[in-house]
Amino acid sequence: MEQVLLIEDDDRIRLSLTLGLEDEGYAVRGAATAEEGLVAQRREPADTVLVDLMLPGVDGFECIRQLRSRDDVPIVVVSARDDTHDIVAALEAGADDYLVKPVAVKELSARLRALRRRARAASAASVVPALVFGDLEIRPEAGEVSVAGRPVALTRTEFRLLCELAQHPGRVLSRAQLLERVWDYAYGDERLVDVHIGRIRQKIEADPAAPRHLVTVRGMGYKLPR
């Protein structure tokens, strides 16, 4: 049974989501503050963490950053804040997905199942030789990336996104295609793709403003040139 940690300060929402997710087959632990949630995750790591942004004390953005600094657990934001700035900031902090309240439990459960399928696919992936693009080297079977011999730390989602582009060198993949292949979403917010591309560029490009590896093809999508 998949373990979910729900960090939500509103008692009614926490109870409602807990009961709904339990009906969907998840084991849910709740936390009313970021501090409580961070301690809970250290003591007994959950498979997925759900985080509200408007938390008392340490806010959701900082909570995400601290969670992400410790491990690669999938993080989904569930928040009433739907401003583009907040969504982008949460994704840049390290969240994998973002849902705006009020959220239907069925939709949330579908997103969690997609995360689980991605994890299974990664563990069952066949051995792929190292993929080399100039000074960028990607080793899918080892989960490793390096630039000019220097190791680069990517989150699980960033790594999957980079591998997807690397396995189709020179081919433009649209945001919708990347959402389906990397996030396993038939539809979704394409800002997920843009923000994660930006984060990868910060880590692998000498000049993220003028990328050599992760190239934008205006009006079409992204590609990794041969």
Side-chain angles (χ1 to χ4, degrees), residues 38-53:
L38 290 167
V39 170
Q41 182 64 6
R42 281 198 302 270
R43 289 178 175 170
E44 187 180 347
D47 299 302
T48 308
V49 180
L50 309 180
V51 182
D52 182 25
L53 293 181

Side-chain angles (χ1 to χ4, degrees), residues 7-20:
I7 306 176
E8 165 65 64
D9 65 311
D10 187 304
D11 294 340
R12 290 172 298 176
I13 294 175
R14 191 170 63 253
L15 177 60
S16 174
L17 288 178
T18 295
L19 293 175

Side-chain angles (χ1 to χ4, degrees), residues 135-209:
D135 62 355
L136 172 65
E137 183 174 353
I138 305 161
R139 292 176 291 279
E141 76 288 351
E144 297 173 351
V145 175
S146 63
V147 175
R150 174 182 56 85
V152 176
L154 298 179
T155 67
R156 186 180 312 175
T157 301
E158 290 165 357
F159 184 75
R160 282 177 57 85
L161 178 54
L162 185 60
C163 283
E164 186 62 41
L165 289 162
Q167 288 167 2
H168 300 86
R171 177 180 169 186
V172 180
L173 296 180
S174 70
R175 292 170 177 82
Q177 287 175 312
L178 290 168
L179 269 178
E180 182 175 0
R181 297 180 184 190
V182 177
W183 280 265
D184 199 16
Y185 297 164
Y187 63 92
D189 193 330
E190 293 184 353
R191 286 174 295 189
L192 282 171
V193 178
D194 296 333
V195 172
H196 280 81
I197 289 286
R199 286 175 58 84
I200 298 170
R201 282 174 173 163
Q202 291 293 329
K203 298 177 181 181
I204 70 169
E205 301 284 1
D207 181 2

Side-chain angles (χ1 to χ4, degrees), residues 11-188:
D11 294 340
R12 290 172 298 176
I13 294 175
R14 191 170 63 253
L15 177 60
S16 174
L17 288 178
T18 295
L19 293 175
L21 287 172
E22 287 178 345
D23 285 343
E24 293 288 317
Y26 296 92
V28 184
R29 290 181 289 133
T33 66
E35 295 89 337
E36 183 183 337
L38 290 167
V39 170
Q41 182 64 6
R42 281 198 302 270
R43 289 178 175 170
E44 187 180 347
D47 299 302
T48 308
V49 180
L50 309 180
V51 182
D52 182 25
L53 293 181
M54 295 183 288
L55 297 169
V58 174
D59 66 16
F61 299 105
E62 180 59 25
C63 180
I64 293 167
R65 281 189 284 270
Q66 291 192 35
L67 286 166
R68 182 59 67 228
S69 71
R70 291 168 183 158
D71 60 43
D72 200 26
V73 63
I75 301 171
V76 179
V77 171
V78 181
S79 174
R81 297 169 69 160
D82 61 355
D83 182 79
T84 296
H85 173 77
D86 291 326
I87 295 173
V88 171
L91 294 173
E92 288 182 339
D96 295 288
D97 201 354
Y98 195 112
L99 292 174
V100 177
K101 296 175 183 175
V103 59
V105 171
K106 291 289 185 184
E107 180 182 2
L108 177 56
S109 179
R111 297 293 181 96
L112 295 180
R113 286 197 300 272
L115 286 171
R116 192 164 64 236
R117 285 195 299 271
R118 285 160 49 193
R120 286 202 199 107
S123 62
S126 58
V127 174
V128 177
L131 305 168
V132 180
F133 300 82
D135 62 355
L136 172 65
E137 183 174 353
I138 305 161
R139 292 176 291 279
E141 76 288 351
E144 297 173 351
V145 175
S146 63
V147 175
R150 174 182 56 85
V152 176
L154 298 179
T155 67
R156 186 180 312 175
T157 301
E158 290 165 357
F159 184 75
R160 282 177 57 85
L161 178 54
L162 185 60
C163 283
E164 186 62 41
L165 289 162
Q167 288 167 2
H168 300 86
R171 177 180 169 186
V172 180
L173 296 180
S174 70
R175 292 170 177 82
Q177 287 175 312
L178 290 168
L179 269 178
E180 182 175 0
R181 297 180 184 190
V182 177
W183 280 265
D184 199 16
Y185 297 164
Y187 63 92

